[in-house]
């Protein structure tokens, strides 16, 4: 009986860990979490502006297949990520790249549709995508993603309130991130930390490296 209870507790812990993000559907550009990529902090200032992110998104080759499906233009989304990220001290440019991994370049070919304004798979558990959170507009969805990232990266973000946050709480799963600050680096994401894919963090870092290089920058 005790063994069965331990197994059940482990299963529930795994489900909660993966529930913070969906299983990305875009191709993996890197070889895994230890693919020789530099460490990239979640907290910090953005290095790319909204216009630089849009230039990379619209002009890189090859362009992804499918039709853009977000509820607002990419120019607006990029601005929201930079603004909301700066508000909470999260690198909004990398968060924008995370949303590209999650949504398949805003084509939403995965389990979370574009109308939900959920750009990070918040609440989407593998095998139960219908539980993904919905937000009333794109800015609120971006804000929720930024707040969730801060919960993962900042041990001082002890509650979804003002303070420690700088905007009203809109993240429905903030309290489920324990302990706060458990993953201060993007490289630590994956394998049950935000998403189940073992290459999730390295995929984000590799795409961010591409965005930097497009704009003449490097790590």
């Amino acid at each position: 009986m005790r063994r069965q209870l331990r197994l059940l507790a482990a299963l529930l812990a795994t489900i909660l860990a993966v529930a913070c993000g969906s299983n990305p559907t875009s191709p993996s550009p890197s070889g895994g979490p230890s693919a020789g990529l530099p460490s990239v902090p979640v907290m910090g200032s953005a290095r790319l502006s909204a216009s630089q992110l849009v230039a990379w998104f619209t002009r890189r080759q090859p362009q992804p297949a499918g039709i853009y499906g977000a509820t607002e233009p990419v120019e607006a989304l990029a601005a929201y990520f930079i603004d909301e990220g700066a508000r909470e001290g999260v690198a909004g440019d990398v968060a924008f790249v995370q949303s590209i991994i999650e949504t398949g370049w805003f084509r939403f070919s995965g389990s979370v549709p574009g109308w939900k304004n959920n750009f990070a798979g918040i609440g989407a558990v593998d095998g139960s995508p219908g539980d993904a959170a919905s937000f009333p507009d794109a800015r609120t969805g971006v804000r929720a993603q930024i707040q969730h990232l801060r919960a993962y990266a900042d041990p001082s973000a002890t509650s979804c309130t003002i303070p420690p946050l700088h905007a009203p709480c809109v993240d429905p799963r903030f309290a489920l991130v324990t302990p706060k600050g458990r993953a201060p680096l993007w490289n630590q994401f994956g394998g049950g930390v935000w998403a189940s894919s073992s290459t999730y963090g390295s995929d984000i870092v590799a795409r961010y490296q591409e965005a930097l290089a497009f704009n003449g920058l490097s790590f």
Side-chain angles (χ1 to χ4, degrees):
M1 185 65 172
R2 291 182 179 177
R3 182 174 181 272
Q4 291 175 330
L5 289 175
R6 287 197 300 269
L7 290 174
L8 178 59
L11 176 60
L12 289 174
T14 300
I15 290 173
L16 285 175
V18 176
C20 294
S22 63
N23 191 14
T25 57
S26 55
S28 170
S30 58
S34 301
L37 294 169
S39 296
V40 180
V42 174
M43 305 299 294
S45 300
R47 297 187 61 196
L48 296 174
S49 66
S51 61
Q52 288 175 314
L53 289 171
V54 171
W56 167 66
F57 181 88
T58 57
R59 290 164 49 194
R60 69 178 297 276
Q61 296 296 330
Q63 280 288 295
I67 300 173
Y68 182 86
T71 58
E72 293 197 38
V74 68
E75 291 83 359
L77 293 185
Y80 295 157
F81 274 101
I82 297 302
D83 291 347
E84 296 294 334
R87 187 193 302 267
E88 298 297 343
V90 171
D93 53 352
V94 194
F96 176 85
V97 174
Q98 178 192 29
S99 71
I100 283 174
I101 297 292
E102 284 279 355
T103 65
W105 299 88
F106 302 117
R107 268 59 176 177
F108 299 95
S109 55
S111 60
V112 182
W115 62 264
K116 287 198 168 189
N117 292 306
N118 184 343
F119 310 111
I122 294 175
V125 182
D126 292 347
S128 185
D131 294 334
S134 296
F135 302 100
D137 52 61
R139 181 182 277 276
T140 303
V142 172
R143 181 173 294 175
Q145 180 176 343
I146 293 296
Q147 291 177 346
H148 209 58
L149 285 167
R150 186 172 169 192
Y152 265 91
D154 181 7
S156 73
T158 53
S159 63
C160 203
T161 56
I162 301 175
L165 299 182
H166 300 284
C169 178
V170 295
D171 174 16
R173 304 184 69 83
F174 191 96
L176 297 179
V177 180
T178 56
K180 298 296 188 288
R182 61 183 293 201
L185 300 176
W186 289 99
N187 312 65
Q188 296 172 305
F189 283 35
V193 178
W194 196 290
S196 58
S197 170
S198 62
T199 65
Y200 184 74
S202 55
D203 289 348
I204 293 170
V205 173
R207 284 297 189 205
Y208 182 55
Q209 188 174 40
E210 177 190 318
L212 288 173
F214 179 91
N215 286 283
L217 300 173
S218 61
F219 285 115

